[in-house]
Amino acid sequence: MIVPFYNNQHDLNLLLAALTVQTHPLTRLQIVVADDGSTEAPQVPDLAMGLDVTIVRQEDAGFRAGTARNLGFRRTDGEVVLFLDGDTVPSKDYVEKLARLPGGLPDAVVSGRRRYADLGRWTPLGLLTWFAGQSPGPAHWDEPDWMTQEYARTRNLLDIHPRSYKYLIGAVLGCSREMFRETGGFDESIVGYGGEDYDFTYRAYNVGAVLAYVPGAVAWHDGRDWAGRTEAVQQTELKNRELMMLAARIPEPSMRGRGQMYSVVDVLVAVHADGWSLGAGVVCIRSFLATLDCAVTIHGKHPSTDGLRAAFTDDPRVRDVQPGKDTDEFIQSRARLHIEVSTAVGVSPEFADWVMNMLEGDVGTLLVSAHGRPILTAESHRRRSRLARYPGVPASMANEWFSHCDMDLPGSGLVLIGDEPKLAAIFGGY
């Protein structure tokens, strides 16, 4: 278990006391307290001396909860990793219940249930009395409706959709060691309160994680939720800053909207343009750029592709392919869809709708054919990543995880482009 900490010994005492009475075997519980540069270093109280607790520290360089979690992770060796914020007190069966799914399914990323109580005057001994059923619990507040309603609507996130990552809480998070490594851990460039868990859970979703909310794994946050403890006049300003930080990292449309260009795109398009004319290539690439939140790479060794690359030299969305070098990992891990184009086609808003419906429905692959010949294939990053972890999986099982869609050209929103379209007419509108 990794506990990010900053100047809050009182709540850490409660947290460690709660860990002494876990139903999970204490001999299999490793605790790392990751101090985010506190002015007073955390201490392990006498009550918790029987626990396996390690304290690590990083310098105070602003609020860096994600970096602290990564630091703590590097000091662990367990196959299941749980994250619990330092102002949060786990119930007696929290570890057992939250660790169960990622312990059996390495693809799982899970969130416990965070409840809100006034623990300011509670002592470790008083907490243990409450947990033993010998005294009533503290006063508490309701959980946010927008979260509880989503859990009910999606059967605790079993019915996954592209925004499910927003309903996993970093303060009560769990996953396998394998999944944490594949996701890349928390983004250490994020400094400031909030958002680092959205960024992590989005990337976990995008590499094919199975997401789940575990309501039985209850942890009590000391105080109200963020909205309840933040002045209304400050909420909009703080959330706007957080959103713009995330918009540069997460291409899912509800996070960034439309109208701004980012290096991280939603769709990576590979155009295989050997033998295409300049005009056909220009019209094809322009139609993708105008219709989708995408970046395009031009593939091919024919001299004609050199002229096509030169035509887009000034457009940062059209990126060259260096021999032996893949797309930047920061971008690659965040794009949701990979499209391969083998024939020059024009893309319409109708095709963009197909793409969004494909992602919304967690469809894994799309194949568009013309006259019995494939012209475009699309594969979700979720499918590509999960199958890379299980290279021997039969095609039948892969299609159970992520469905496949075949389409003919009519009705797909794609149109074939002639050998050498007249660009002057197309650009001029005549």
Side-chain angles (χ1 to χ4, degrees):
M1 175 175 287
I2 298 161
V3 180
F5 172 91
Y6 184 76
N7 283 340
N8 190 352
Q9 186 66 48
H10 171 269
D11 283 348
L12 180 62
N13 291 344
L14 298 180
L15 185 158
L16 293 174
L19 291 181
T20 66
V21 293
Q22 290 294 302
T23 55
H24 181 84
L26 296 186
T27 55
R28 297 173 56 196
L29 180 60
Q30 180 185 24
I31 304 152
V32 180
V33 178
D35 180 14
D36 190 16
S38 298
T39 55
E40 295 184 14
Q43 303 295 321
V44 178
D46 292 342
L47 183 66
M49 284 299 178
L51 298 173
D52 177 4
V53 182
T54 301
I55 297 175
V56 294
R57 186 180 189 278
Q58 64 187 18
E59 295 301 316
D60 186 0
F63 188 97
R64 297 188 295 155
T67 306
R69 293 185 183 114
N70 288 348
L71 176 65
F73 172 81
R74 291 192 289 270
R75 293 296 297 270
T76 65
D77 53 26
E79 292 305 311
V80 175
V81 183
L82 305 184
F83 298 93
L84 183 67
D85 276 6
D87 57 359
T88 308
V89 178
S91 57
K92 290 195 300 182
D93 54 1
Y94 175 83
V95 172
E96 177 187 357
K97 290 185 174 179
L98 194 63
R100 183 176 297 150
L101 185 56
L105 178 64
D107 288 338
V109 177
V110 298
S111 174
R113 179 185 179 189
R114 183 170 62 175
R115 301 191 66 184
Y116 304 89
D118 183 1
L119 302 177
R121 296 185 179 181
W122 280 71
T123 66
L125 291 177
L127 180 84
L128 296 180
T129 301
W130 164 34
F131 278 13
Q134 298 172 0
S135 66
H140 61 272
W141 299 279
D142 291 337
E143 299 154 70
D145 287 341
W146 65 275
M147 298 197 75
T148 56
Q149 290 170 5
E150 178 68 7
Y151 298 143
R153 189 182 71 81
T154 62
R155 296 185 297 159
N156 294 334
L157 303 183
L158 180 63
D159 299 328
I160 198 167
H161 59 77
R163 295 159 299 284
S164 295
Y165 68 92
K166 295 183 178 182
Y167 301 92
L168 299 176
I169 306 171
V172 285
L173 198 67
C175 65
S176 69
R177 188 173 200 82
E178 174 186 344
M179 178 56 65
F180 187 82
R181 283 176 168 164
E182 178 156 354
T183 302
F186 289 88
D187 184 344
E188 297 191 4
S189 69
I190 297 176
V191 179
Y193 178 82
E196 82 289 337
D197 50 355
Y198 273 8
D199 177 76
F200 175 83
T201 55
Y202 169 76
R203 284 181 286 116
Y205 164 86
N206 207 36
V207 297
V210 174
L211 308 185
Y213 168 64
V214 185
V218 175
W220 293 87
H221 177 267
D222 185 7
R224 295 179 179 270
D225 70 317
W226 181 83
R229 64 180 186 270
T230 306
E231 293 291 336
V233 294
Q234 295 180 314
Q235 288 184 24
T236 300
E237 178 183 359
L238 293 172
K239 280 298 178 183
N240 283 347
R241 291 178 183 174
E242 178 184 312
L243 188 68
M244 292 310 296
M245 177 273 291
L246 291 171
R249 292 167 166 82
I250 299 177
E252 192 272 311
S254 74
M255 188 61 75
R256 66 167 46 161
R258 297 178 63 88
Q260 189 170 348
M261 187 186 302
Y262 296 95
S263 60
V264 172
V265 295
D266 202 15
V267 182
L268 294 173
V269 181
V271 169
H272 299 271
D274 264 347
W276 295 12
S277 68
L278 175 64
V282 166
V283 173
C284 175
I285 292 173
R286 279 191 171 210
S287 72
F288 274 102
L289 296 176
T291 309
L292 297 173
D293 177 7
C294 70
V296 177
T297 52
I298 301 172
H299 299 252
K301 298 180 180 180
H302 192 277
S304 62
T305 60
D306 293 335
L308 185 56
R309 291 186 182 95
F312 289 92
T313 298
D314 295 329
D315 193 324
R317 296 170 296 173
V318 180
R319 299 161 183 174
D320 199 6
V321 179
Q322 300 294 330
K325 181 180 179 181
D326 293 329
T327 305
D328 184 281
E329 180 59 29
F330 187 87
I331 296 170
Q332 184 85 15
S333 65
R334 288 166 163 79
R336 296 190 296 164
L337 192 68
H338 302 263
I339 293 179
E340 302 279 336
V341 185
S342 56
T343 301
V345 291
V347 180
S348 72
E350 182 182 1
F351 178 74
D353 290 341
W354 279 115
V355 167
M356 291 301 108
N357 289 336
M358 173 183 175
L359 294 169
E360 194 73 26
D362 211 21
V363 175
T365 51
L366 168 69
L367 172 65
V368 182
S369 301
H371 312 298
R373 180 170 57 89
I375 60 174
L376 179 147
T377 60
E379 182 180 24
S380 73
H381 195 79
R382 277 175 54 74
R383 182 183 189 275
R384 175 179 290 194
S385 299
R386 189 183 294 176
L387 292 187
R389 292 195 295 277
Y390 302 101
V393 167
S396 58
M397 181 175 292
N399 289 335
E400 288 182 5
W401 289 349
F402 301 97
S403 60
H404 172 76
C405 179
D406 284 309
M407 299 184 70
D408 289 325
L409 184 66
S412 68
L414 302 176
V415 294
L416 296 177
I417 298 172
D419 289 340
E420 186 62 88
K422 294 181 179 180
L423 295 182
I426 294 172
F427 293 174
Y430 59 88

